[in-house]
Amino acid sequence: MKTNLYLALMLVLPILAIAQTKAKSPIKPEPFRLEKLVAESGLPYRMVHDSLAVIPYTGEYVKEFDLVVQKASDLLLIYTNLSAAVSGKLDSTAYPFLLQQNHHFDLVKIGMDESHTVFVRADVYLAATNVKLLTRMIKQVANVTNILGGSLQ
């Protein structure tokens, strides 16, 4: 009887010594959620889809305009359509002025696409983004839009 017990232990103990514990699966980070980040800014917004939020703004010179926050790959694009915001006040004579204004703003830049639509825009990497930074960038883009709107009157 003792022999059988010793024999059983001799077979089981090496198996237990060799057996590995089950590896724990790594904790997956929570997927990026634009809506959560924009909601925590405290600004009013509406989600167009999971990677595009629109924030309505009003200013002293530009009464109503939309500011867009869009996730594109590993970037957040924060922009306004200045052409729409100051409808009818932009023509080719304003382009040199707008280009010069790029020197007056740090993170916010003014650009134009192939259809001559002018945008006020700031980009930030997702990895470097938090609610405080996003809120600051949103307010800067909105303020520059309002300032330019006043300059173009």
Side-chain angles (χ1 to χ4, degrees), residues 117-133:
T117 301
V118 178
F119 294 93
V120 177
R121 176 175 158 168
D123 302 343
V124 64
Y125 285 106
L126 288 175
T129 302
N130 58 39
V131 174
K132 190 174 181 178
L133 177 64

Side-chain angles (χ1 to χ4, degrees), residues 19-38:
Q20 296 179 0
T21 60
K22 184 177 177 181
K24 294 181 181 178
S25 59
I27 297 173
K28 294 180 183 177
E30 184 179 323
F32 176 80
R33 291 195 31 170
L34 178 62
E35 183 169 11
K36 182 177 186 265
L37 194 62
V38 173

